[in-house]
Amino acid sequence: MTLRIYNTLKGTKEEFKPIEEGKVKIYICGPTVYDSCHIGHGRAVVVFDVIVRYLETIGYDVTYIRNFTDVDDKIINRGNETGMHFLEVSEKYIKEFHEDMDALNVRRATREPRATEHIDDIIDIVQLLIDKDKAYAVDGDVYFSVDSFKDYGKLSGRNVEDMKAGARIDIDDRKKNPADFALWKSAKPEEPFWDSPWGKGRPGWHIECSAMSYRFLGETFDIHGGGKDLIFPHHENEIAQSEAAFDKEFAKYWIHNGFVNINKEKMSKSLGNFLTIKKVLKEYHPEAVRMFLLSNHYRSPVDFSESSMAEASAALERVYTTLLRGEEIFGQLSVTEETGELWKNFKTSMDDDFNTAQAIGTLFEVLRKMNRTLDKNRDEISDDVKSDIQKTVSDILKIGDVLGLFTTKPSDYFESRKSASSVDEVEVEALIKERREARASKDFARADAIRDELDAMNIVIEDKADKTVWKVKS
RNA sequence: GGCGGCUUGGCCAAGUGGUAAGGCGACGGCCUGCAAAGCCGUUAUUCUCCAGUUCAAAUCUGGAAGCCGCCUCCA
């Protein structure tokens, strides 16, 4: 089985072959840290988190770099608005980013470099580009000359002529071509700056990624990724800078995730239709959010709504409900070395361009099968059946390791929902006890009345042979 | 205006040439005092529309309609 990845550069899926056997070097464009993350940022980060986890699971040694853009107009503006130094602004939102992503069970990258830590690297590349006649300095600004790079447009499928016709580019007489973009921007009064051969200034937006990827991954690396909106101009410009500077192919595979939509429209700051991760997590379980984000293929849009979140929550609950039955048998769920059919199917789905949606589909088929087996063997469970169930449980947990799901002990999952809600557990237990007594004396009217009362408290009960369990509705 | 993508059952969603996964919902059944959970069954002869290629198309080609994205900061 081989891993196939959709490569934006080629416009098609192709077999993944790492540059160096057994190793993967991957660079992802992280956020510009000027405000809280919304769920759209969450999707990008979760998608690549899963991709990296999967690459590691199938045996690759992964070097994962995800940067923070910590100097930029928006950050500076934010600092001016709030009276904070721009680095205080970026620090604040980097901290928030980590809080949010930790909550979503996203693992840290191998390194998370910041643009301001690599100003020297940036200046070196800009100078190299000037020396090679690929860039030019004007009044303290430095621009990349798109005409000097014949492949300009190869990632996004555009050409410089079309863009001129588009006329949405600022006309700036100092530029040789309107599509030329800034590598270095001279400092305006009150702006932060660093000294450079071209005077006081700061880096343009794209150059930092060329500098940091070069620093940590070298001239050529395996995978570069980010949101679809970065294809142009950001990634196009990165390619131009890096390939012009080093005369080597920049990144082999380009992976771009689709957006989180609200009412079919892209969630974004400018449209104002965004929901912060913090806000979403107040209402939904973090794993439900991940389940939601992974329920569609990563390149497709995914529509955020109350009903889609309810669906994801229900899906998560269904997995935990089944896992709980496993926990009742084994006491503690565990992963075994041996893998089963489910794991094989999971790998098949993931090998096909990280198809988490399909993977989750097969998971549910297995869930049904496991429940069926459990139902059939309710009274007595043979060792054969037990080992079968154990294998399934193990596969589910392994899949959870890749998707970042099912990390909680099932009984704890349901218990934590109780403590997280506002219900009075003592009161609930008392009502359930009363109901059991009513049922024992065949006073079903009273028993049903109590159940209705509990229902009104958002509690659902299940009568088992020897006990009654209760859950908080999701 | 340029470039790209999407359109699958009531809803969500996989599926890139071999005869429509899965989830939610609905309905019927098993289980239950009744429920809930779980299980079983039913729920798209059909994949926006039109034409074409093919023994065979949701999947390929051409055209139409609708929706969306990028071209300006954006995950």
Side-chain angles (χ1 to χ4, degrees), chain A residues 285-395:
Chain A
H285 191 280
E287 291 192 357
V289 178
R290 274 187 88 109
M291 181 67 99
F292 160 72
L293 292 172
L294 298 171
S295 63
N296 283 26
H297 185 94
Y298 78 85
R299 281 189 281 121
S300 307
V302 55
D303 213 63
F304 185 94
S305 66
E306 248 177 68
S307 69
S308 59
M309 281 308 302
E311 237 182 70
S313 301
L316 182 69
E317 175 131 348
R318 188 164 151 80
V319 178
Y320 273 116
T321 299
T322 305
L323 285 176
L324 185 63
R325 298 181 77 176
E327 186 182 318
E328 278 160 6
I329 295 169
F330 301 111
Q332 177 98 35
L333 299 179
S334 60
V335 176
T336 56
E337 191 108 350
E338 198 187 355
T339 54
E341 191 74 7
L342 174 59
W343 179 252
K344 201 180 121 207
N345 292 337
F346 176 73
K347 277 184 67 175
T348 302
S349 295
M350 291 299 282
D351 277 343
D352 185 14
D353 197 30
F354 310 107
N355 195 338
T356 53
Q358 187 178 68
I360 290 169
T362 59
L363 172 66
F364 279 101
E365 290 179 67
V366 170
L367 244 35
R368 179 151 30 85
K369 197 174 149 208
M370 177 168 151
N371 277 318
R372 193 191 304 143
T373 308
L374 254 20
D375 282 357
K376 271 190 198 147
N377 298 274
R378 197 163 263 155
D379 302 326
E380 201 183 333
I381 188 159
S382 70
D383 286 349
D384 275 1
V385 173
K386 259 192 183 175
S387 98
D388 218 47
I389 298 289
Q390 169 59 52
K391 203 188 286 182
T392 303
V393 165
S394 173
D395 279 356

Side-chain angles (χ1 to χ4, degrees), chain A residues 22-49:
Chain A
K23 294 192 176 178
V24 178
K25 293 177 176 176
I26 176 168
Y27 186 96
I28 303 302
C29 292
T32 299
V33 278
Y34 71 101
D35 205 347
S36 302
C37 289
H38 63 237
I39 195 73
H41 298 109
R43 183 180 196 196
V45 175
V46 165
V47 160
F48 288 104
D49 180 54

Side-chain angles (χ1 to χ4, degrees), chain A residues 86-261:
Chain A
F86 82 98
L87 283 177
E88 285 180 85
V89 173
S90 57
E91 191 62 43
K92 174 178 150 88
Y93 290 109
I94 287 171
K95 190 164 162 281
E96 264 198 31
F97 175 91
H98 279 138
E99 284 166 7
D100 290 347
M101 298 311 164
D102 288 351
L104 286 177
N105 191 217
V106 170
R107 298 190 319 185
R108 301 291 169 100
T110 312
R111 300 191 80 121
E112 303 184 338
R114 305 173 187 194
T116 57
E117 293 168 345
H118 294 275
I119 300 295
D120 291 345
D121 292 331
I122 290 167
I123 289 173
D124 287 348
I125 293 188
V126 175
Q127 187 60 56
L128 180 59
L129 287 167
I130 292 175
D131 293 344
K132 295 181 82 165
D133 222 16
K134 303 286 184 183
Y136 53 95
V138 195
D139 306 334
D141 294 329
V142 180
Y143 292 101
F144 183 89
S145 168
V146 296
D147 292 324
S148 75
F149 184 68
K150 65 172 171 38
D151 284 340
Y152 192 76
K154 70 176 173 181
L155 180 71
S156 56
R158 24 190 120 216
N159 63 61
V160 176
E161 292 309 310
D162 287 346
M163 294 192 314
K164 275 182 190 163
R168 290 184 66 177
I169 304 168
D170 283 341
I171 302 301
D172 183 342
D173 292 342
R174 302 177 315 154
K175 290 186 188 177
K176 291 180 181 169
N177 184 313
D180 289 352
F181 55 90
L183 298 172
W184 188 263
K185 299 163 111 164
S186 59
K188 299 191 194 95
E190 308 295 309
E191 281 186 354
F193 63 82
W194 287 263
D195 287 317
S196 81
W198 320 284
K200 296 179 192 311
R202 59 191 164 94
W205 174 33
H206 320 292
I207 193 66
E208 61 186 80
C209 291
S210 286
M212 290 186 278
S213 61
Y214 174 64
R215 164 65 64 184
F216 295 111
L217 302 176
E219 291 169 346
T220 303
F221 54 94
D222 298 290
I223 298 172
H224 194 133
K228 269 189 158 83
D229 47 1
L230 296 182
I231 294 171
F232 191 91
H234 187 53
H235 288 162
E236 194 68 72
N237 292 353
E238 282 185 51
I239 291 175
Q241 295 160 350
S242 291
E243 298 195 353
F246 305 119
D247 294 307
K248 293 270 175 59
E249 185 179 10
F250 182 42
K252 297 264 183 201
Y253 302 88
W254 287 84
I255 301 180
H256 292 99
N257 66 276
F259 306 126
V260 174
N261 288 173

